[in-house]
Amino acid sequence: MSGRVLVGVKRVIDYAVKIRVKPDHSGVVTDGVKHSMNPFCEIAVEEAVKLKEKKLMKEVVVVSCGPQQSQETIRTALAMGADRGIHVEVSGKDYETLGPLQVSKILAALAKKEDAQLIILGKQAIDDDCNQTGQMTAALLDWPQGTFASEVSLEKDGIKVVREIDGGLETIKISTPAVLTADLRLNTPRYATLPNIMKAKKKKIANVKPADLGVDLTSRLEVLRVDEPPQRQAGMKVETVDDLVSKLKDAGKV
Amino acid sequence: FLVPLFSGREAETTQRGFEHIRRMKSQRMITRRTCSSVTAPRITTHYTIRPRDKDPRWEGVEMERFADQADVVIVGGGPAGLSAAIRLKQLANEHQKELRVCLVEKAPQMGAHTLSGACLEPSALTELFPDWKERGAPLNTPVTEDVFNIFTKNHRIPVPILPGLPMQNHGNYLVRLGNFVRWLGEQAEELGVELYPGYAAAEVLFHEDGSVKGVATNDVGIAKDGSPKDVFERGMELHAKVTLFGEGCHGHLAKQLYKQFNLRENCEPQTYAIGLKELWMIDEKKWKPGRTEHSVGWPLDRHTYGGSFLYHLNEGEPLVALGFVVGLDYTNPYLSPFREFQRWKHHPFVAATLEGGQRIAYGARALNEGGFQSIPKLTFPGGLLIGCSPGFMNVPKIKGTHTAMKSGILAAEAIFPKVTAEEADSETAGLHVPEYAESLKSSWVWKELHSVRNIRPSFHNPLGLYGGMIYTGIFYWILRGKEPWTLKHRGLDAHQLKPAKECTPIEYPKPDGKISFDLLSSVALSGTNHEGDQPPHLTLKDDSVPVARNLAVYDGPEQRFCPAGVYEYVPVETGDGMRLQINAQNCVHCKTCDIKDPSQNINWVVPEGGGGPAYNGM
């Protein structure tokens, strides 16, 4: 057993920033906008580091796919306790069309290459809200998946995962190797403090190209247009029920 | 008693559960105390007001800090701090010396907390990087047109900008200062400066002999009620031979240092203004790249100092930067700088440019207006002050970036021989470098600030604005500031407010949602955010003063001068009366509240690093 955990992290626009659609409607403005690690990815990193601290896993390898700036995100994960990083360089047009299918192919290839025992990802990214990468990666590797995990415990005969589902909580047991995706209540991520950021500068980040992993980045999807949601119309206050009915009649609703 | 307060979830009996229960309990008790109209509600939980060494919740918590040693530590990654860092590394490379320069900046990325008009005079930049153009400095918009108007409600009186007047901008560039700072950061990193954005300097450290030893960054993981969370970690100590403080206008550590080393005993108190700014994408037909517009007059009366700017940028898209400045020595507590800004935009001359456009950014920051008279003592054992923190803004020119950069350059040149010397030539453990102040006094910064020193204070005359303009015309334009007298400022801005009963409330028009907007949607555009579960960083020395004095005498002016809606007076939950609600998460780090609070009860301290606005090229 390698005892190696692979954690995927994504650099996304910070959740508090107001998004603006580009004037040509091809996407959103990202230039100079504040970015940070996807909150669910932070939770994934924290879980992996906790497993290492409990001596249940030996090494945490953090991966990010993206342009040069993704290295900052990897550096933050290293400061949280990951051992080394892998930056899969994807930039320009390729980065604009990068989606869960290509990322899961990359992660599957890396999992084989690094002989990973466990893959932990965030359940979804806050920019595209796809919620697909973990599931696709598991399918490509033919590994079991424990998604929306709010509790993970490694046991002798497998991993017990408590999942947050619509009906409540579901507890499953899966065998290893496996893919887990982190949900909000899994843990509270630690801060990347300055001494750890300084130490992280000495940790290794390997550079890999998708072609080296035999992954084809062509997208099966084409984004036709991006628009802002329609402006919410102001409501109207009415005094009586008769008033309401007459207003509805005027608007042709009844 | 315990049962009705908690739901089943919280009543777990794990260690975590008990911790949680204990925290919930103290939160409930705080809420109950807040509701009581008998005792003053507890608002401030920050450890600078409620020390942790006597606090039972902090018993047994590890408070030891990791420490590291650098040659020079710089607090603040603005034009001054970065210029100093760059100059130090340039000198180190020139003289082939090793020099460890560490710079800490509270913004999550360089430029994210930078806000300015801005019309940049490239003099200091050319000194720092003669090849700035080849290096790709984002100075893309040379000024092509300079327009100055006195606004009345519906009309304007153009004022010719004769050569020699301070507002003349030929040779200057309209820049997005945040992008310029980001570029400076890249240059600094290339030269080997260690930049640490996202880490705020929270505490000044001292040697036993009283000299400055360095700074400590902020602690993380303290809950809103002041207790330690599971993820609590102490900040880090950065020790240096000399520490440069470049926190910008009204820095919180500088405020401490003024007291500690008595740096303000021979200068006037600093006076300030608040600047609010927006970025607009306008109709291409109205776009005139390089056009620089300034106005004074409406909507301010002639006794309230202030004015506006509107700059047409030339960066490939029809973007204009516009904003409004209000002197913080205003007297009417009903004045709202934000709402003055919003209504100014409706002036026909301005609305014509903005019609059909879209607002894409908003922010605000205090700026210095004290100039020459308010420059404090600049050096002390172990450290020195650079940039807008001590304050080198040329007020009539409304430019402070070039002087800030120059002060950073001079600081670097003064300290370099001392930090690289074999033998430390200093009486104190932290190096004292009075040479910095001397070189500043013989530089163009001093001459420039001296020549415009009387323009701002000349405003305080019976004719107000018009008196000031007449004074500028005679004494600056004709006599170049050589008059032998130096006018005084009025005193502390915080003491200028008249009681509410002596003033008339101002009727502001409702925002129309197209040109003018409400406060909260504006704050959302600043991208500001803070970790919610931390003690409010707007600390009050005395929690009872807001209602007892600010509200009672001045009708709560903080509700109006805060450009981010942090302060709200709301009715208490039970009983009669009001309480102050501090929405710390909204804060855009402008520092206006610390400056203008008539009771000087608000002490702005730095929140967890990485929080605050997320300006993009402001």
Side-chain angles (χ1 to χ4, degrees), chain B residues 16-212:
Chain B
R16 251 237 168 124
F18 277 130
E19 279 276 77
H20 192 72
I21 291 172
R22 202 153 42 81
R23 239 172 278 136
M24 287 296 292
K25 192 170 168 193
S26 57
Q27 274 175 9
R28 298 281 181 193
M29 294 199 70
I30 289 169
T31 318
R32 282 168 64 215
R33 245 182 262 145
T34 310
C35 294
S36 156
S37 44
V38 178
T39 46
R42 167 170 306 196
I43 302 170
T44 304
T45 53
H46 199 273
Y47 64 80
T48 50
I49 305 285
R50 308 210 184 268
R52 292 176 286 196
D53 49 3
K54 307 255 178 353
D55 192 330
R57 301 170 301 180
W58 286 89
E59 240 188 81
V61 176
E62 181 58 63
M63 295 301 262
E64 186 79 36
R65 274 188 292 224
F66 186 79
D68 204 359
Q69 181 79 32
D71 292 300
V72 181
V73 163
I74 301 176
V75 175
L82 286 168
S83 298
I86 289 169
R87 192 76 192 107
L88 279 169
K89 277 305 211 176
Q90 284 176 339
L91 288 167
N93 292 343
E94 236 179 275
H95 292 89
Q96 276 151 355
K97 292 245 156 94
E98 289 282 324
L99 198 67
R100 185 172 185 209
V101 180
C102 289
L103 189 150
V104 285
E105 162 58 48
K106 60 175 166 58
Q109 55 196 48
M110 306 311 277
H113 287 187
T114 302
L115 185 139
S116 183
C119 184
L120 179 70
E121 219 183 82
S123 50
L125 175 61
T126 311
E127 283 185 35
L128 193 64
F129 287 119
D131 58 343
W132 55 259
K133 210 180 186 128
E134 290 78 39
R135 283 171 177 265
L139 274 68
N140 303 311
T141 314
V143 174
T144 56
E145 255 189 284
D146 232 333
V147 172
F148 195 93
N149 289 308
I150 302 177
F151 276 4
T152 60
K153 184 146 196 264
N154 291 310
H155 302 285
R156 63 186 180 103
I157 306 164
V159 174
I161 307 286
L162 305 164
L165 277 176
M167 310 81 192
Q168 225 254 345
N169 279 308
H170 184 71
N172 297 333
Y173 292 83
L174 299 175
V175 294
R176 295 175 69 172
L177 199 63
N179 290 348
F180 179 67
V181 167
R182 193 172 64 203
W183 174 83
L184 278 178
E186 288 162 13
Q187 306 310 304
E189 273 204 306
E190 256 177 56
L191 284 165
V193 176
E194 287 178 53
L195 290 181
Y196 295 112
Y199 297 96
E203 200 186 313
V204 184
L205 303 168
F206 297 95
H207 287 290
E208 291 220 352
D209 63 12
S211 61
V212 170

Side-chain angles (χ1 to χ4, degrees), chain A residues 15 20 31-32 191-192 197, chain B residues 109 182 199 360 529 608 616:
Chain A
Y15 72 92
R20 189 164 61 94
D31 210 22
Y191 287 83
I197 286 275
Chain B
Q109 55 196 48
R182 193 172 64 203
Y199 297 96
I360 63 168
N529 194 27
E608 276 179 17
N616 183 8

Side-chain angles (χ1 to χ4, degrees), chain A residues 11 14-18 20 23 29-35 50 79 164 169 185-199 201 228, chain B residues 9 16 66 68 100 104 108-109 182 194-196 199 217 220-221 229 231 233 236 238 281 358 360 524-525 527-529 531 608 610 612 614-616:
Chain A
R11 178 179 178 263
D14 187 81
Y15 72 92
V17 168
K18 225 140 208 258
R20 189 164 61 94
V29 176
T30 54
D31 210 22
V33 175
K34 177 183 174 188
H35 282 67
K50 275 198 162 71
E164 298 206 7
L169 297 172
R185 277 160 280 269
L186 181 57
N187 60 50
T188 307
R190 68 196 64 190
Y191 287 83
T193 53
L194 187 54
N196 290 328
I197 286 275
M198 286 180 172
K199 284 189 204 138
K201 293 217 163 154
E228 282 194 16
Chain B
R9 220 175 207 241
R16 251 237 168 124
F66 186 79
D68 204 359
R100 185 172 185 209
V104 285
Q109 55 196 48
R182 193 172 64 203
E194 287 178 53
L195 290 181
Y196 295 112
Y199 297 96
T217 59
V220 292
K229 296 195 276 199
V231 287
E233 271 196 64
M236 175 177 164
L238 285 166
M281 230 18 137
Q358 199 206 359
I360 63 168
L525 269 187
T528 195
N529 194 27
E531 160 61 52
E608 276 179 17
Y615 296 143
N616 183 8

Side-chain angles (χ1 to χ4, degrees), chain B residues 211-390:
Chain B
S211 61
V212 170
K213 185 166 151 182
V215 289
T217 59
N218 58 280
D219 292 347
V220 292
I222 305 180
K224 203 166 180 167
D225 64 5
S227 62
K229 296 195 276 199
D230 289 333
V231 287
F232 170 75
E233 271 196 64
R234 277 290 257 168
M236 175 177 164
E237 292 191 10
L238 285 166
H239 300 167
K241 296 179 187 154
V242 65
T243 309
L244 275 61
F245 292 87
E247 299 170 284
C249 175
H250 204 77
H252 78 111
L253 293 182
K255 193 175 170 183
Q256 266 182 266
L257 292 166
Y258 293 147
K259 274 209 206 87
Q260 182 83 17
F261 293 104
N262 218 355
L263 302 172
R264 300 205 74 98
E265 60 185 339
N266 291 321
C267 68
E268 286 199 46
Q270 184 66 260
T271 66
Y272 303 87
I274 178 176
L276 302 106
K277 178 182 172 182
E278 288 175 357
L279 284 178
W280 280 67
M281 230 18 137
I282 58 170
D283 186 342
E284 249 190 270
K285 296 187 223 74
K286 309 190 182 176
W287 182 39
K288 303 192 182 98
R291 184 174 159 96
T292 307
E293 293 173 22
H294 292 108
S295 83
V296 290
W298 188 86
L300 298 177
D301 65 37
R302 68 170 189 271
H303 291 296
T304 306
Y305 188 84
S308 74
F309 65 88
L310 198 151
Y311 301 149
H312 291 246
L313 292 159
N314 189 6
E315 300 194 352
E317 42 183 11
L319 198 63
V320 299
L322 62 143
F324 203 75
V325 173
V326 180
L328 286 178
D329 57 349
Y330 69 82
T331 55
N332 187 346
Y334 291 109
L335 194 143
S336 161
F338 173 78
R339 302 193 80 174
E340 297 290 348
F341 175 36
Q342 296 303 316
R343 80 164 158 176
W344 164 80
K345 284 187 281 172
H346 281 289
H347 187 278
F349 194 62
V350 184
T353 308
L354 299 181
E355 239 129 51
Q358 199 206 359
R359 182 177 75 153
I360 63 168
Y362 164 84
R365 182 74 169 91
L367 48 128
N368 306 295
E369 298 214 317
F372 189 77
Q373 294 90 319
S374 304
I375 301 176
K377 193 157 173 285
L378 297 166
T379 66
F380 43 90
L384 39 87
L385 302 167
I386 55 176
C388 276
S389 181

Side-chain angles (χ1 to χ4, degrees), chain A residues 193-242:
Chain A
T193 53
L194 187 54
N196 290 328
I197 286 275
M198 286 180 172
K199 284 189 204 138
K201 293 217 163 154
K202 303 198 182 85
K203 293 185 182 173
K204 271 192 62 179
I205 300 182
N207 255 42
V208 175
K209 294 210 175 44
D212 299 342
L213 300 168
V215 172
D216 168 26
L217 288 180
T218 356
S219 178
R220 309 284 199 272
L221 305 171
E222 186 196 332
V223 172
L224 297 175
R225 196 183 154 92
V226 177
D227 279 302
E228 282 194 16
Q231 284 279 17
R232 196 160 167 229
Q233 295 300 325
M236 243 192 300
K237 268 196 173 147
V238 290
E239 299 292 308
T240 65
V241 176
D242 291 329

